[in-house]
Structures are given as structure tokens and as C-alpha cells.
């Protein structure tokens, strides 16, 4: 019974953490897209994008660590495997949130702008591509929203799983002397 309560609490915590991580990544997606469309000097745009990337990267690591530590503190009997499982669930849910936002961006929100950019690229490079390559690019563009969703889902889940594995090694911190028994004389 106690394990079932911990499992439900783990998914509740993972859902909140997934929303936070996915929300942070989605905010980064739309902010960098806005910066790319804003008319500002290239140097400022590059610096802003680098700064936003660092905030997103560090923020994702900090948020994952925060939620793992919070879960471990709320459940003292949770071990490193339990925190890793929380991290994997968080990675899955945050990947779903971000991938859905990226899909919506490509399919509905910025689809016209992306198609316009690809058409411009096709006009510039069209003379260098044969008819098979052109047909392949058209097929690719038709499937771009789905490709965006699944590639982001896979990337974010793998990144989050690796991050949760690294962080869970020390959450909760292990006592190296837990099994130590002094010599009996």
C-alpha cells in the first residue's frame, strides 16, 4: 500500500516537474523565434540567444535536481533508483509538453513562415538539386510537423534520462558507512 502511494506521488511530482521543464523549454523556443524575427543587430541577437540557451540549459538541470530532491525529502524511504524513476517520468512528460508545443508551432503557429523560408532556400539551391532531391524535400516539408514532434520527443527524453541518471546518483545522498561494522574484539 505504501509503495502504491509513493508511486502515485511520484507521477504527480513528475507531472508538475514535466510542466515546469517543458514550459521553460517552450518559452525558450518562442523567445528565440521572436528574437530571430525582430529587427535587431546580429551581434545582439547572437548574444541574447546564447544567454537564453544558457538560462534554459542551467534552468532545466536545476529544476530536475530541485524536483528530485523535493521528492526524496518528502519520502525518506526512496532510494537512488526511485529518484531515477522520477527523473525518467519527468523526462517523458516534459518531452511530451515541449514536443507538442514544437509540433503546434510548426503545424499551426509559424507554419507559413517556415514554408516561406524553405521555399526561398529551394529557389536558391534548386539549380543544384535534381528532380528526385526536389521531390524528397517536398515530402519532407509535408511531414515536417510529425518529424519535429518525434525528433524532439526522442531527444528530450534521452537528454532528460541521462540527466536524471547523473543526478540520481547522489539524490538522496548515500551514506558510505551504512554497512560498516566495527571489528568485534
Amino acid at each position: 500500500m505504501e509503495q502504491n502511494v509513493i508511486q502515485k506521488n511520484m507521477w504527480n511530482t513528475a507531472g508538475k516537474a514535466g510542466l515546469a521543464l517543458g514550459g521553460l523549454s517552450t518559452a525558450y523556443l518562442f523567445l528565440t523565434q521572436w528574437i530571430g524575427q525582430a529587427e535587431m543587430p546580429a551581434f545582439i541577437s547572437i548574444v541574447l540567444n546564447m544567454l537564453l540557451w544558457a538560462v534554459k540549459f542551467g534552468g532545466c538541470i536545476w529544476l530536475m535536481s530541485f524536483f528530485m530532491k523535493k521528492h526524496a525529502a518528502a519520502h525518506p524511504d526512496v532510494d537512488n533508483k526511485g529518484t531515477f524513476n522520477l527523473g525518467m517520468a519527468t523526462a517523458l512528460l516534459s518531452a511530451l509538453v515541449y514536443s507538442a508545443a514544437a509540433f503546434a508551432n510548426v503545424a499551426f503557429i509559424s507554419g507559413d513562415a517556415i514554408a516561406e523560408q524553405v521555399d526561398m532556400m529551394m529557389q536558391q539551391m534548386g539549380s543544384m538539386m535534381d528532380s528526385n532531391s526536389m521531390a524528397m524535400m517536398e515530402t519532407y516539408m509535408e511531414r515536417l510537423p510529425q518529424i519535429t514532434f518525434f525528433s524532439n520527443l526522442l531527444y528530450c527524453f534521452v537528454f532528460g534520462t541521462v540527466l536524471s541518471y547523473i543526478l540520481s546518483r547522489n539524490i538522496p545522498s548515500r551514506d558510505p558507512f551504512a554497512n560498516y561494522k566495527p571489528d568485534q574484539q
Side-chain angles (χ1 to χ4, degrees):
M1 182 70 173
E2 177 67 24
Q3 186 64 24
N4 194 16
V5 170
I6 291 174
Q7 194 74 6
K8 285 181 182 178
N9 192 310
M10 182 199 73
W11 280 102
N12 187 25
T13 303
K16 292 174 187 173
L19 280 174
L21 285 162
L24 178 66
S25 297
T26 301
Y28 169 78
L29 170 73
F30 288 114
L31 280 172
T32 55
Q33 187 171 319
W34 176 78
I35 289 171
Q37 293 172 349
E39 295 181 18
M40 62 178 65
F43 178 74
I44 294 174
S45 176
I46 291 170
V47 169
L48 280 174
N49 282 330
M50 287 174 45
L51 182 65
L52 285 173
W53 180 85
V55 168
K56 179 194 76 143
F57 187 74
C60 286
I61 293 171
W62 182 83
L63 279 172
M64 180 73 87
S65 175
F66 171 78
F67 282 105
M68 290 171 87
K69 287 177 182 177
K70 183 178 175 183
H71 182 70
H75 303 284
D77 54 336
V78 170
D79 58 356
N80 300 98
K81 183 180 178 194
T83 56
F84 173 67
N85 290 339
L86 172 75
M88 276 187 61
T90 299
L92 175 66
L93 296 175
S94 68
L96 280 171
V97 168
Y98 178 70
S99 298
F103 174 84
N105 184 42
V106 172
F108 306 113
I109 300 169
S110 300
D112 293 337
I114 293 170
E116 193 176 294
Q117 290 174 353
V118 171
D119 286 341
M120 189 174 8
M121 181 189 73
M122 294 290 280
Q123 289 174 0
Q124 291 174 352
M125 302 185 79
S127 62
M128 293 183 268
M129 296 196 293
D130 61 355
S131 61
N132 290 332
S133 299
M134 295 288 277
M136 179 90 121
M137 284 298 290
E138 289 174 14
T139 303
Y140 174 78
M141 285 309 299
E142 291 171 3
R143 297 180 182 157
L144 186 61
Q146 294 87 352
I147 292 169
T148 299
F149 177 81
F150 288 110
S151 62
N152 279 317
L153 183 68
L154 180 65
Y155 170 76
C156 293
F157 177 68
V158 169
F159 178 81
T161 300
V162 170
L163 177 62
S164 66
Y165 176 76
I166 292 168
L167 293 175
S168 70
R169 305 294 292 159
N170 293 318
I171 301 173
S173 57
R174 292 182 269 176
D175 182 7
F177 302 109
N179 295 330
Y180 176 72
K181 295 178 184 172
D183 292 335
Q184 304 276 332
Q185 291 183 353

